Amino acid sequence: MTSLFQVTTRSAALLLLVCALFSFFAEAKKEKDERECEVCIGAINKFKEEISEELYGNVEKLETAFRKYCKKLPKGGKENRFCYFVGGTEDAATGILSNLIRPLSYHLPSDKICEKLKAMDSQICELRYDVKPDFTKINKMKVGELKKILSNWGEDSACKGCAEKADFIKKVRELMPKHDPEEWKKLQALEKEL
C-alpha cells in the first residue's frame, strides 16, 4: 500500500518534469530566426553609415535626414518598403517614424529599435531580402523558382510559350549572361571541370 507521502512525491516529480519540458520547448521556440528583421536592421545600419555624428543630437534633423535617405531608395525595393511601413515616405499611411528616430538619436542598437517597431507593426520584421539562387543547382530548381528568377530579372514575358521545366532552364541559362554575368562565369567554369 502506498502512502500519501509517496503519491505526493510522485505528483511533485511529475509536475516538475512537465514544467521542465514546457520551459525547454518555450526556450526552443524563442530562438530567434537569424533573418528576422533583416531589412529593418539593414536599412537602419545603412542610414547610420550615411549620417554624421552631430545629427544624433537633433531629432528633427535626424528625421529629415531619414526622409531624404528613404526618398533616394529605389521604388519597390525592400528598404523602400520598410520606409513606407515606418512613415519615412511621402505616401506612407502610418506615422511611427518618431519611434525609430528617438531611440536612434540616443544610439540604441538597430536590432533593439527593430524589436520595438515590430511590437507596433509586425510587417516591419517580416520583410526579408531576396536570397540569391544557387545557379549550380539550376537543373534541380522547381519551375516556380525558375519563374521567380525570370521575374526578378524583369523577364516575365521571356518564357511565355514555356511548357516544360527544361524550357524554363533553357531560358534562364540564355538570359543569365545578361542579368548575372558573374554567376554565369562561375557556372561555365564549374561545367568545364565536370
Side-chain angles (χ1 to χ4, degrees):
M1 188 152 124
T2 58
S3 70
L4 182 61
F5 177 74
Q6 289 174 325
V7 171
T8 308
T9 306
R10 284 185 192 148
S11 297
L14 184 61
L15 183 63
L16 279 172
L17 179 63
V18 169
C19 288
L21 285 172
F22 181 79
S23 67
F24 171 78
F25 287 115
E27 281 300 313
K29 198 172 186 179
K30 276 186 192 175
E31 282 186 33
K32 209 172 178 184
D33 177 10
E34 63 187 42
R35 294 191 62 208
E36 185 178 36
C37 296
E38 70 180 352
V39 173
C40 176
I41 293 168
I44 293 172
N45 286 340
K46 285 179 186 175
F47 174 65
K48 284 179 175 181
E49 291 171 7
E50 289 188 12
I51 60 173
S52 61
E53 187 63 36
E54 63 262 0
L55 273 180
Y56 283 99
N58 189 327
V59 175
E60 290 156 10
K61 286 184 180 179
L62 199 58
E63 185 174 327
T64 303
F66 187 78
R67 288 184 189 277
K68 284 181 184 176
Y69 165 78
C70 289
K71 195 176 254 186
K72 68 180 182 180
L73 292 172
K75 296 271 188 227
K78 303 288 184 177
E79 291 169 351
N80 180 266
R81 194 83 187 133
F82 165 73
C83 285
Y84 174 80
F85 286 154
V86 296
T89 59
E90 292 174 4
D91 61 341
T94 63
I96 61 172
L97 186 57
S98 62
N99 295 301
L100 180 149
I101 299 299
R102 211 173 315 108
L104 187 63
S105 71
Y106 49 83
H107 299 280
L108 192 68
S110 302
D111 59 329
K112 298 295 181 193
I113 294 172
C114 292
E115 283 178 26
K116 290 179 180 236
L117 293 172
K118 179 183 177 183
M120 291 173 218
D121 186 353
S122 63
Q123 296 178 91
I124 290 170
C125 285
E126 291 171 4
L127 286 170
R128 306 274 169 103
Y129 291 115
D130 292 331
V131 177
K132 192 167 184 166
D134 182 2
F135 288 106
T136 61
K137 297 177 182 172
I138 192 168
N139 294 328
K140 295 179 182 176
M141 288 182 184
K142 296 178 181 175
V143 172
E145 293 173 286
L146 296 165
K147 284 182 177 180
K148 186 172 182 181
I149 290 168
L150 291 170
S151 176
N152 288 343
W153 288 346
E155 299 280 358
D156 294 307
S157 60
C159 211
K160 283 279 187 205
C162 297
E164 300 288 324
K165 179 179 171 179
D167 298 331
F168 285 98
I169 292 171
K170 182 180 176 187
K171 188 54 73 173
V172 169
R173 289 179 64 86
E174 184 182 302
L175 294 170
M176 203 171 165
K178 175 183 172 187
H179 294 285
D180 205 338
E182 285 182 32
E183 287 297 320
W184 174 250
K185 289 175 188 172
K186 288 179 191 176
L187 186 61
Q188 291 296 300
L190 182 69
E191 288 175 349
K192 284 180 184 176
E193 289 176 13
L194 299 175

